[in-house]
Amino acid sequence: MQTLLNNLHWEAPAQWLKIETIDMHTGGEPLRVFVSGLPAIKGVTVLEKRRYFKEHLDFIRTGTMWEPRGHADMYGAVITSSADADMDVFFLHNEGYSTMCGHAIIALTKLVLETGIIKKEERNPHLTINVPAGKIYAHATMENGKVNGVAFRNVPSFLYLSDQEVVVPGIGNVKFDVAYGGAFYAFVNAESLQLSLNAAHYNQLIDYGRRIKYAVMSNFSIRHPFEEDLSFLYGTIFTGKALEEGHHSRNVCIFAEGEVDRSATGSGVSARAALHYAKGELKINETIIIESITGSTMGVTVRELTAFGDYNAVIPEVSGTAFITGQHTFHFDPEDPFKEGFIFR
């Protein structure tokens, strides 16, 4: 076999678009990071860059997130230079573009420090990262050039709607809260709907999560205090009992167009910290450990109290670990009828 493969010689034609990525995961949730080949992205702020990419380069999102290069649950990040931070980042998924992503922040912090994309001399380096939702402050624990753990302070997070109820077609009356942790989520107790938060109920969680999201969107207004681009419900998060002793709880996030977060969801646990604090269920500087559908965990702590527009908000700190899984070179053959990807969800 090896002798046969020694005869391999192929190079893509020069006119084909070639994009290189490094793939990672945080708690099992994938992240595809673009490191070479993207056309110039115009804009000064992250929101301007994201808007330009959406209007002019969306075929790259679909071509790398969807099949045949990706899959319905793929997730991506575009990193660019920044005028006032270590880097600007925006995020891609099967439906479009998200406002904040905690699992990506954890993975990107590891990536840029371990590969030298960003050079920091201190042992436990700090990064400032602009995302569509605002400014994120991350720090890493390093040993012998390897990042062993990452924590980040998120944007102000707050309880938006408390103890609400909505009629969901095919399900019935559903009680929920909406909280913001860089994105808006509807939080629903899984036990109240007789749902189990494990892989065996994966498809039912997707179905219920999508139904609830659309019902809440149809009946309630979701408005960010400052940014119209952030004023939408990103997903549904089901919460329930932890399976491991010493953990606070488990949650499963159904976001975008039926994606299932394999991690505990960094922006989601940030929103949960705000929700629990507002309801008197979490104290400042108290850390809780939240499980994901894979059993991986993230920790979250309320570090500060603040005001955000008309809302009483918290500054949550989220912690987790990430791993590099591979490198890819993707080619876009102009004659390929599926060069821009396809999706079945």
Side-chain angles (χ1 to χ4, degrees), residues 72-74 93-95 202-203 205-211 213-214 234-236 252-262 343 345:
D73 293 285
M74 181 52 72
H93 50 69
N94 71 10
E95 187 182 42
Y202 177 85
N203 289 320
L205 290 166
I206 293 173
D207 180 38
Y208 275 41
R210 294 170 77 183
R211 290 173 188 254
K213 174 183 173 179
Y214 297 144
Y234 188 41
T236 302
V252 177
C253 176
I254 314 299
F255 69 98
E257 187 52 44
E259 287 201 38
V260 180
D261 198 330
R262 275 70 170 157
I343 191 170
R345 183 173 296 162

Side-chain angles (χ1 to χ4, degrees), residues 284-303:
I284 192 166
N285 292 323
E286 178 185 359
T287 299
I288 56 175
I289 305 299
I290 298 176
E291 300 172 352
S292 75
I293 193 170
T294 65
S296 64
T297 62
M298 287 181 178
V300 65
T301 310
V302 172
R303 289 302 187 196

Side-chain angles (χ1 to χ4, degrees), residues 175-188:
K175 295 180 179 180
F176 69 95
D177 302 297
V178 171
Y180 178 84
F184 287 99
Y185 297 96
F187 289 88
V188 176

Side-chain angles (χ1 to χ4, degrees), residues 163-339:
D163 300 318
Q164 299 295 310
E165 191 167 328
V166 67
V167 177
V168 182
I171 299 177
N173 290 336
V174 174
K175 295 180 179 180
F176 69 95
D177 302 297
V178 171
Y180 178 84
F184 287 99
Y185 297 96
F187 289 88
V188 176
N189 180 276
E191 189 175 356
S192 69
L193 300 179
Q194 299 181 317
L195 292 173
S196 296
L197 301 181
N198 55 51
H201 293 82
Y202 177 85
N203 289 320
Q204 187 178 20
L205 290 166
I206 293 173
D207 180 38
Y208 275 41
R210 294 170 77 183
R211 290 173 188 254
I212 293 167
K213 174 183 173 179
Y214 297 144
V216 173
M217 288 169 60
S218 297
N219 290 277
F220 294 84
S221 175
I222 306 295
R223 311 296 301 179
H224 187 273
F226 305 109
E227 293 287 352
E228 180 63 28
D229 282 358
L230 310 183
S231 297
F232 62 94
L233 186 66
Y234 188 41
T236 302
I237 294 182
F238 296 107
T239 64
K241 296 178 181 178
L243 300 188
E244 295 292 331
E245 186 177 353
H247 295 166
H248 175 270
S249 55
R250 172 171 285 223
N251 63 216
V252 177
C253 176
I254 314 299
F255 69 98
E257 187 52 44
E259 287 201 38
V260 180
D261 198 330
R262 275 70 170 157
S263 77
T265 311
S267 52
V269 300
S270 296
R272 282 195 64 185
L275 186 159
H276 291 309
Y277 182 84
K279 292 191 173 188
E281 300 164 352
L282 182 64
K283 300 175 182 177
I284 192 166
N285 292 323
E286 178 185 359
T287 299
I288 56 175
I289 305 299
I290 298 176
E291 300 172 352
S292 75
I293 193 170
T294 65
S296 64
T297 62
M298 287 181 178
V300 65
T301 310
V302 172
R303 289 302 187 196
E304 298 178 28
L305 307 181
T306 189
F308 195 61
D310 295 333
Y311 297 93
N312 294 321
V314 305
I315 302 296
E317 183 177 79
V318 178
S319 59
T321 56
F323 300 87
I324 294 173
T325 59
Q327 294 176 277
H328 295 279
T329 299
F330 294 111
H331 297 285
F332 286 70
D333 180 348
E335 297 181 4
D336 180 357
F338 299 119
K339 62 182 179 293

